[in-house]
Amino acid sequence: MFERPGGSGERAILVHIDFPQINNNEQQEAQAEFYDLVVSAGADPLIFVKGRRNRPEPKYFIGTGKAEEIRQLVELHQADLVIINHQLSPAQERNIEALLQCRVLDRTGLILDIFAQRARSHEGKLQVELAQLRHLSTRLVRGWTHLERQKGGIGLRGPGETQLETDRRLLGMRIKQLNKRLDKVRKQRAQSRRSRQRAELPTVSLVGYTNAGKSTLFNQLTQSSVYAADQLFATLDPTLRRVELPKNQAIVLADTVGFISDLPHDLVEAFHATLLETREADLLLHVIDAHTENRAKHIAEVNSVLEQIDALETPQLLVYNKVDLLEGQQPRVETDDNGKVLRVWLSAAHGEGMDLLMTTIADIFSRERVTKTLKIPAESGQWRSMLFEQVQILDESYNDDGEWLVNIETTARQFEKLLKQPGFSDLVV
């Protein structure tokens, strides 16, 4: 089923367990995706071990017999590590390592390692380190047995803290330090978003399952050269570019990290600052690999992550990519009976259908412009600076009562946000 690459990485034994509640197509895709993750991490797969269970086994997850089989394979092939395509509890990971006498990595640890390799920006590295430390904090073990006791033996009477407690304390201090640094990043990003709002540039964020072709589409739309490759998590750090649209419009386009099934919660938490670009976007281009049979599952996985970051309510435009791989399919725009665009079919690799997508985005934003007149009392001056920050001021004047009369223009989504602020609706004429 899988070809072994001629890599020079660590020699790895891959383990996947099928469970009856998951159908065969999904099982096969999960195995293929797992193999791609391992290769993306730079490991050299030796053998793919599969098994079936009704439910995970408490001690080893994979079962006692399967664990013994893998132990023999580790000895036979002199493997460096065993990678298991499931999320293990800290106890299960320790039990398997003790039996196999080699390093064991679960799915979460594997994804974290790939993210650590891909991070390039200062922010990305901070976010990955935070996720790794959170994952590690549940897996601290008493490795330094000679220091476990607070008393006992000459030279071992210390400050009253075991090595395990010291490790936990240092880990906690580092996590706190990283959170402080990321808070600064969040403030900087918030300031950048306010600047874009003042310039009245809508933000469009690319989201989608990993390897759906987001970066290739980004490069086509922006005529730039962001790194794009046929591998999982090729993009990790977000990239923003200005894009000129038809009808004299412009947007800021953001390319973001791809999602994947069972994306570790620690990663979603750590990448909160980056994913805010998605939550605060005016429109999401949900890029879908039209060629895969499991695209419905991929759509559900992406929406699940969007729900975790409170971005599910953000308007979405479905973009079905890789139409060139489908026989008899052409780039096109699908609409409902009312003319609302449902999905755009295109090929980012060949540049086919780009004009359809750009025209569609321009139409969406031209329809969503809102013009309103506000009457603001003299004692409510706090609204003035806020409006100058967040909307476009068309003209302004004062009446005889000293009230500020102002005509504003903004996006429908931004106006809805303003309406949620206490007292704003009373200002609308």
Side-chain angles (χ1 to χ4, degrees):
M1 180 179 178
F2 304 105
E3 292 182 7
R4 180 183 163 189
S8 57
E10 294 177 282
R11 298 157 60 82
I13 291 176
L14 282 52
V15 182
H16 175 87
I17 303 296
D18 288 341
F19 294 99
Q21 58 268 34
I22 303 174
N23 65 48
N24 286 335
N25 278 343
E26 289 185 11
Q27 296 282 10
Q28 288 179 3
E29 191 199 10
Q31 292 172 27
E33 186 177 86
F34 173 45
Y35 186 85
D36 288 342
L37 282 171
V38 172
V39 173
S40 294
D44 185 4
L46 297 173
I47 189 169
F48 203 127
V49 179
K50 303 170 191 173
R52 289 188 68 86
R53 288 191 64 84
N54 290 326
R55 65 184 66 86
E57 193 238 12
K59 186 175 182 180
Y60 295 123
F61 186 93
I62 57 178
T64 306
K66 187 62 66 177
E68 178 58 30
E69 176 189 338
I70 295 167
R71 187 191 67 76
Q72 294 173 11
L73 289 171
V74 168
E75 287 185 3
L76 177 66
H77 295 280
Q78 296 295 296
D80 299 308
L81 77 159
V82 172
I83 308 176
I84 299 176
N85 190 27
H86 304 278
Q87 188 166 339
L88 304 178
S89 71
Q92 287 167 341
E93 193 171 307
R94 288 197 296 269
N95 292 338
I96 297 174
E97 279 192 344
L99 176 69
L100 304 184
Q101 292 296 298
C102 79
R103 281 190 302 120
V104 173
L105 206 61
D106 69 352
R107 182 184 175 85
T108 299
L110 176 63
I111 294 174
L112 285 171
D113 185 81
I114 295 171
F115 270 54
Q117 293 180 47
R118 300 278 192 272
R120 293 291 178 268
S121 70
H122 174 65
E123 176 192 355
K125 289 174 182 177
L126 287 178
Q127 292 175 133
V128 170
E129 185 182 353
L130 180 60
Q132 286 179 315
L133 291 180
R134 282 177 172 164
H135 183 65
L136 179 63
S137 64
T138 62
R139 282 159 165 75
L140 283 179
V141 293
R142 292 175 175 82
W144 295 15
T145 54
H146 63 289
L147 292 177
E148 276 183 18
R149 298 183 179 180
Q150 294 175 3
K151 296 179 181 178
I154 297 172
L156 296 182
R157 297 179 181 88
E161 184 173 51
T162 66
Q163 182 61 39
L164 182 62
E165 288 167 342
T166 302
D167 289 345
R168 282 181 177 152
R169 179 170 54 80
L170 294 174
L171 208 60
M173 288 168 62
R174 181 61 179 163
I175 288 174
K176 190 179 292 186
Q177 189 180 45
L178 288 172
N179 278 321
K180 280 185 180 178
R181 290 188 184 179
L182 284 171
D183 279 342
K184 280 188 179 179
V185 172
R186 291 188 185 106
K187 289 174 183 174
Q188 289 166 355
R189 284 194 174 276
Q191 190 172 358
S192 298
R193 279 193 293 273
R194 284 196 295 271
S195 298
R196 292 200 297 270
Q197 286 170 347
R198 281 198 298 272
E200 278 301 297
L201 287 178
T203 300
V204 177
S205 189
L206 293 171
V207 299
Y209 207 76
T210 184
N211 211 26
K214 295 184 300 302
S215 294
T216 305
L217 178 61
F218 182 88
N219 288 337
Q220 284 284 359
L221 291 173
T222 61
Q223 299 300 305
S224 57
S225 56
V226 167
Y227 180 66
D230 184 18
Q231 61 182 26
L232 303 185
F233 301 121
T235 302
L236 186 56
D237 298 310
T239 309
L240 286 81
R241 295 283 189 278
R242 180 187 173 106
V243 178
E244 301 295 331
L245 297 176
K247 302 182 181 179
N248 294 319
Q249 295 186 70
I251 60 170
V252 172
L253 186 66
D255 187 18
T256 58
V257 62
F259 302 150
I260 197 169
S261 60
D262 302 321
L263 189 66
H265 182 72
D266 285 340
L267 271 181
V268 177
E269 280 291 308
F271 275 72
H272 194 69
T274 300
L275 294 172
L276 274 176
E277 292 294 348
T278 299
R279 195 179 80 185
E280 298 295 328
D282 298 290
L283 176 68
L284 301 181
L285 294 186
H286 186 162
V287 184
I288 299 154
D289 182 353
H291 186 245
T292 180
E293 295 179 358
N294 293 296
R295 60 184 183 226
K297 179 176 176 285
H298 290 180
I299 292 171
E301 294 286 356
V302 171
N303 286 333
S304 173
V305 177
L306 291 175
E307 187 175 15
Q308 288 182 56
I309 60 172
D310 299 324
L312 199 54
E313 299 302 316
T314 305
Q316 281 190 36
L317 174 61
L318 300 182
V319 178
Y320 282 74
N321 188 25
K322 306 185 184 181
V323 70
D324 54 298
L325 300 178
L326 298 174
E327 193 173 340
Q329 297 287 348
Q330 295 295 324
R332 63 189 186 278
V333 177
E334 289 184 9
T335 60
D336 62 13
D337 295 337
N338 299 319
K340 180 183 177 183
V341 176
L342 298 176
R343 53 189 72 89
V344 178
W345 296 72
L346 52 78
S347 169
H350 295 277
E352 299 171 354
M354 292 300 112
D355 54 337
L356 297 175
L357 178 60
M358 293 180 78
T359 302
T360 300
I361 296 171
D363 288 343
I364 289 173
F365 285 119
S366 62
R367 287 197 306 266
E368 285 195 345
R369 302 300 292 177
V370 173
T371 304
K372 294 289 181 181
T373 300
L374 307 178
K375 183 165 67 175
I376 302 175
E379 63 271 16
S380 301
Q382 74 274 11
W383 289 108
R384 184 181 175 88
S385 59
M386 186 272 291
L387 289 172
F388 271 102
E389 277 191 352
Q390 299 189 17
V391 302
Q392 184 178 2
I393 306 295
L394 299 178
D395 59 70
E396 54 181 327
S397 61
Y398 291 91
N399 62 15
D400 295 338
D401 298 325
E403 295 172 316
W404 185 41
L405 304 177
V406 57
N407 291 323
I408 66 168
E409 184 179 348
T410 186
T411 63
R413 186 161 183 255
Q414 180 63 21
F415 188 71
E416 286 177 11
K417 287 183 182 178
L418 290 170
L419 286 174
K420 292 177 181 177
Q421 299 196 33
F424 183 82
S425 58
D426 299 333
L427 307 178
V428 182
V429 176

